Amino acid sequence: MSKLNLGVLGSGAGSNMQSIVDAIAAGELDAEVKLVLADVADAKILERAKRHGIPCAYLDCAPWKTKLEGPAEDRCIEMLKEAGVDTVVLAGFMRIVKPKLLAAFPNRVVNIHPALLPAFPGVHSWKQALDYGCKVAGVTVHLVDAGTDSGPILVQKAVPVMEDDTPESLHARIQVQEHVAYPEALGIIGSGKYRLEGRRVVIG
Ligand code: GRF
């Protein structure tokens, strides 16, 4: 059992970061958010971090649009290490992270994906599930490996798909479960009571 020192990377609203901050404040998760970085200068996640007094910064990832590589990746790793981060939390970070970051935090980069993986990797996965005609959708929190949305699964939560769902209403229902799943997954990592057997995360 050890306290986690978290570094959160995001691009958007930061509701998952908020759920982690709230779980810490409620004493449900033994962790501290050491640093928040966003690749979008006016991302709401930065506002939220400031409101909570969490160190945060904009990370300019140009010229790349969809990945974290090159000088930005180096700067990101340096800032996370300097902040004392031991676990990197991807919370709505709309970029592929590359092997260098993964090697800097082995088995300690975590992602949340709004689908029951391995179904519907990639973007707008809730819309993919709705268009496919799924009766159940959900969320996955997983360790990040070199693939896209493909690493070992820590936690999954399912939600029903309703007949009158729109992509927005389904995403909103999934997000409620995201906010439960992320603190739970980080709790598993912090507990140290899990092991990797191939791609299976065996808990306990
Ligand atoms: C969430 O739906 C997450 O699963 C996906 O991006 C969204 C981020 O939301 N990867 P937020 O910025 O945490 O509010």
Side-chain angles (χ1 to χ4, degrees), residues 90-142:
L90 306 182
F93 189 58
M94 300 306 287
R95 286 175 186 271
I96 308 284
V97 295
K98 307 297 279 185
K100 200 168 187 179
L101 179 94
L102 299 179
F105 298 92
N107 283 327
R108 285 289 186 138
V109 182
V110 194
N111 184 42
I112 190 158
H113 182 73
L116 293 173
L117 291 169
F120 311 122
V123 294
H124 303 309
S125 49
W126 58 90
K127 187 171 182 308
Q128 292 185 54
L130 189 62
D131 291 346
Y132 193 88
C134 292
K135 301 298 185 192
V136 174
V139 57
T140 304
V141 183
H142 64 93

Side-chain angles (χ1 to χ4, degrees), residues 4-8 17 20-21 24 31-36 54-55:
L4 297 175
N5 293 311
L6 306 175
V8 180
M17 192 269 295
I20 292 163
V21 167
I24 294 170
E32 185 178 341
V33 180
K34 294 284 194 181
L35 180 65
V36 173
I54 300 167

Side-chain angles (χ1 to χ4, degrees), residues 110-121 125 136-143 149-160 173-186 188 199-201 203:
V110 194
N111 184 42
I112 190 158
H113 182 73
L116 293 173
L117 291 169
F120 311 122
S125 49
V136 174
V139 57
T140 304
V141 183
H142 64 93
L143 297 172
D149 300 326
S150 61
I153 293 170
L154 286 160
V155 170
Q156 287 188 307
K157 305 269 178 209
V159 303
R173 191 173 310 112
I174 292 170
Q175 282 227 286
V176 173
Q177 292 307 314
E178 290 184 11
H179 302 156
V180 179
Y182 227 152
E184 190 179 318
L186 294 173
I188 291 168
R199 58 158 299 115
R200 286 184 67 212
V201 177
I203 297 162

Side-chain angles (χ1 to χ4, degrees), residues 43-120:
K44 202 167 158 216
I45 192 171
L46 292 175
E47 268 173 50
R48 286 190 200 255
K50 278 181 205 146
R51 210 179 311 141
H52 288 282
I54 300 167
C56 62
Y58 163 56
L59 183 69
D60 184 355
C61 297
W64 291 279
K65 290 193 167 29
T66 58
K67 57 186 179 177
L68 176 62
E69 207 169 15
E73 182 185 38
D74 292 341
R75 216 163 46 247
C76 180
I77 294 169
E78 199 180 296
M79 288 167 91
L80 292 168
K81 290 285 182 192
E82 263 172 22
V85 166
D86 53 45
T87 306
V88 180
V89 175
L90 306 182
F93 189 58
M94 300 306 287
R95 286 175 186 271
I96 308 284
V97 295
K98 307 297 279 185
K100 200 168 187 179
L101 179 94
L102 299 179
F105 298 92
N107 283 327
R108 285 289 186 138
V109 182
V110 194
N111 184 42
I112 190 158
H113 182 73
L116 293 173
L117 291 169
F120 311 122

